[in-house]
């Protein structure tokens, strides 16, 4: 179970049949490894942790305890989807922690991006460790480590993702998809019956909307960002862009400009559209969103989102820009 090198003979999982045979093998291995013990998993709702959760639920059912920490920086509807899919449909043993106030209070007044990331990552570990301490008889910790994580020598997802977990919890690790590439994890996820949108969703950074609500986060600007981002996603889905564009989102900077609303002056924030294509996120090009769709997005965001009075389109490739603004 601990071999971290993908054997050359291992065929790439591209079909449902291959995914099913992988699942059968993993279910058997997991049952053998875990026996009657319990397994803990930090379930963010991202592709990797969701697939690992579904695999473990199939193998050991309620012996898996999933903890979903809502840090208040999720996109619109994401935590709700985790509760719906795992808590209700898959009937998982799911602990849902709404830690929004804890995170936002700690982040209050903090404008430096790296400090924000550290606070979010650190607080995530605190909340998760507190939940773990309340549980008894947990021997194993499951993680959604995938093969590129190992290749990039990250091993556990401590570096980039908020899912980096404390080492002193003293659990044995279970990493059932650690030899798979992302596209294989997705095929396995679909074969396990997870919703298509969950399995094929675009990359989302661990610190979430925290690095898109630029500068010091305030609740009203975070709310405006979440609503504007939801409109962008909705319009991309409606217009067939959702699965062709690699990553797309809104960032809202901490500046205001003058606008007019109902005949009077109105100060609001700008919403910045970012929509990029890339293979490996090292460089990225700009998606050329058709003007008609852009106009619709501008119209909807400025009329539906309280606090936003302009919409800008970031045309900067990576480099010189990065994909995220912070
Ligand atoms: P940049 O902004 O460096 O982003 O061009 C490259 C990719 O990495 C994602 N990203 C992050 N992911 N934690 C993450 O888990 C982070 O702190 C973080 N910062 C950037 C970004 O969304 C893009 O896909």
């Amino acid at each position: 179970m601990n071999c971290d090198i993908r054997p050359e003979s291992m065929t790439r999982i591209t079909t449902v049949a291959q995914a099913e045979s992988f699942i059968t093998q993993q279910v058997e291995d997991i049952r053998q490894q875990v026996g009657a013990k319990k397994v803990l998993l930090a379930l963010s709702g991202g592709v990797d942790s969701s697939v690992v959760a579904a695999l473990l639920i199939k193998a050991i059912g309620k012996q898996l305890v999933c903890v979903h920490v809502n840090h208040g920086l999720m996109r619109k509807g994401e935590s709700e989807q985790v509760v719906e899919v795992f808590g209700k449909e898959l009937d998982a043993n799911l602990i849902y922690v709404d830690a929004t106030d804890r995170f936002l209070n700690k982040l209050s007044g903090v404008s430096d991006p790296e400090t924000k990331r550290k606070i979010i990552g650190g607080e995530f570990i605190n909340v998760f460790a507190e939940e773990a301490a309340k549980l008894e008889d947990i021997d194993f910790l499951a993680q959604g480590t995938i093969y590129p994580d190992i290749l990039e020598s990250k091993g556990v997802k401590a570096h980039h993702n908020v899912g980096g977990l404390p080492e002193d919890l003293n659990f044995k690790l279970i990493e059932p998809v650690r030899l798979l590439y992302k596209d294989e994890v997705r095929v396995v996820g679909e074969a396990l019956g997870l919703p298509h949108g969950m399995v094929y969703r675009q990359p989302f950074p661990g610190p979430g909307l925290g690095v898109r609500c630029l500068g010091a986060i305030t609740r009203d600007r975070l709310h405006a960002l979440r609503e504007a981002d939801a409109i962008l996603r909705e319009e991309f889905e409606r217009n067939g862009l959702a699965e062709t564009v690699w990553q797309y989102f809104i960032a809202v900077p901490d500046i205001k400009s003058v606008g007019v609303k109902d005949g009077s002056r109105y100060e609001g924030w700008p919403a910045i559209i970012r929509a990029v294509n890339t293979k490996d996120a090292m460089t990225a090009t700009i998606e050329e969103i058709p003007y008609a769709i852009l106009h619709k997005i501008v119209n909807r965001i400025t009329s539906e989102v309280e606090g936003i009075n302009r919409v800008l389109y970031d045309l900067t490739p990576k480099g010189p820009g990065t994909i995220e603004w912070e």
Side-chain angles (χ1 to χ4, degrees):
M1 273 305 257
N2 281 329
C3 172
D4 274 347
I5 297 169
R6 186 176 165 119
E8 270 179 33
S9 58
M10 192 169 154
T11 32
R12 196 117 177 165
I13 300 171
T14 55
T15 65
V16 177
Q18 286 168 324
E20 279 168 354
S21 121
F22 172 84
I23 293 164
T24 307
Q25 183 62 50
Q26 285 303 320
V27 164
E28 208 174 287
D29 288 355
I30 292 165
R31 284 186 185 149
Q32 203 162 38
Q33 194 186 358
V34 172
K37 308 277 191 209
K38 285 191 195 156
V39 180
L40 184 62
L41 170 74
L43 177 60
S44 67
V47 182
D48 307 333
S49 68
S50 296
V51 171
V52 167
L55 201 49
L56 281 152
I57 290 165
K58 193 174 173 75
I60 56 167
K62 302 259 181 190
Q63 283 165 257
L64 173 73
V65 183
C66 302
V67 177
H68 175 71
V69 177
N70 178 358
H71 50 28
L73 304 164
M74 309 291 282
R75 288 175 296 189
K76 190 169 180 176
E78 275 184 325
S79 283
E80 291 83 349
Q81 190 188 36
V82 169
V83 172
E84 181 63 33
V85 171
F86 291 97
K88 298 196 182 140
E89 287 168 28
L90 295 176
D91 194 25
N93 207 342
L94 172 70
I95 298 172
Y96 170 75
V97 189
D98 184 354
T100 303
D101 286 339
R102 267 178 81 155
F103 279 83
L104 294 188
N105 290 344
K106 278 223 155 172
L107 287 163
S108 169
V110 180
S111 57
D112 174 61
E114 284 315 304
T115 313
K116 285 165 70 178
R117 274 193 173 77
K118 281 198 186 111
I119 290 174
I120 297 166
E123 197 57 11
F124 180 88
I125 290 173
N126 292 341
V127 175
F128 188 79
E130 281 169 31
E131 291 305 316
K134 291 182 202 162
L135 300 166
E136 281 173 6
D137 303 329
I138 305 266
D139 280 35
F140 296 92
L141 181 72
Q143 292 203 131
T145 311
I146 65 172
Y147 203 47
D149 299 328
I150 291 174
L151 293 180
E152 288 159 32
S153 314
K154 283 175 196 155
V156 289
K157 289 195 155 183
H159 163 70
H160 223 41
N161 276 344
V162 170
L165 295 171
E167 279 159 21
D168 58 1
L169 286 178
N170 234 342
F171 296 123
K172 285 172 245 164
L173 281 186
I174 296 192
E175 298 178 310
V177 297
R178 77 193 176 289
L179 295 184
L180 303 192
Y181 288 100
K182 195 79 166 192
D183 52 316
E184 299 179 292
V185 175
R186 293 196 157 115
V187 179
V188 169
E190 284 228 288
L192 283 163
L194 288 175
H196 185 83
M198 187 173 240
V199 171
Y200 282 88
R201 74 178 210 174
Q202 54 169 318
F204 186 56
L209 298 182
V211 290
R212 298 178 181 169
C213 189
L214 309 178
I217 299 167
T218 55
R219 286 174 195 250
D220 52 356
R221 195 157 50 87
L222 178 62
H223 179 74
L225 161 62
R226 182 176 283 123
E227 294 299 318
D229 186 69
I231 290 173
L232 181 78
R233 281 161 59 205
E234 214 175 284
E235 290 302 324
F236 266 43
E237 268 153 36
R238 260 187 210 159
N239 292 286
L241 293 171
E243 279 187 25
T244 59
V245 181
W246 197 81
Q247 197 173 18
Y248 49 96
F249 57 86
I250 296 284
V252 178
D254 188 13
I255 52 167
K256 283 193 168 177
S257 69
V258 183
V260 238
K261 196 178 189 181
D262 305 326
S264 45
R265 275 169 67 98
Y266 166 64
E267 290 215 325
W269 304 290
I272 301 163
I273 300 173
R274 193 91 174 114
V276 298
N277 292 306
T278 178
K279 277 205 158 49
D280 54 11
M282 303 294 283
T283 60
T285 56
I286 298 305
E287 171 72 16
E288 296 187 10
I289 308 172
Y291 264 94
I293 300 174
L294 276 175
H295 285 307
K296 177 85 190 296
I297 293 167
V298 172
N299 198 311
R300 282 199 59 197
I301 292 180
T302 50
S303 59
E304 292 175 34
V305 183
E306 175 81 28
I308 304 273
N309 65 353
R310 288 171 200 263
V311 178
L312 315 182
Y313 188 12
D314 182 354
L315 293 176
T316 323
K318 176 176 180 174
T322 46
I323 295 176
E324 301 290 343
W325 269 57
E326 282 192 340

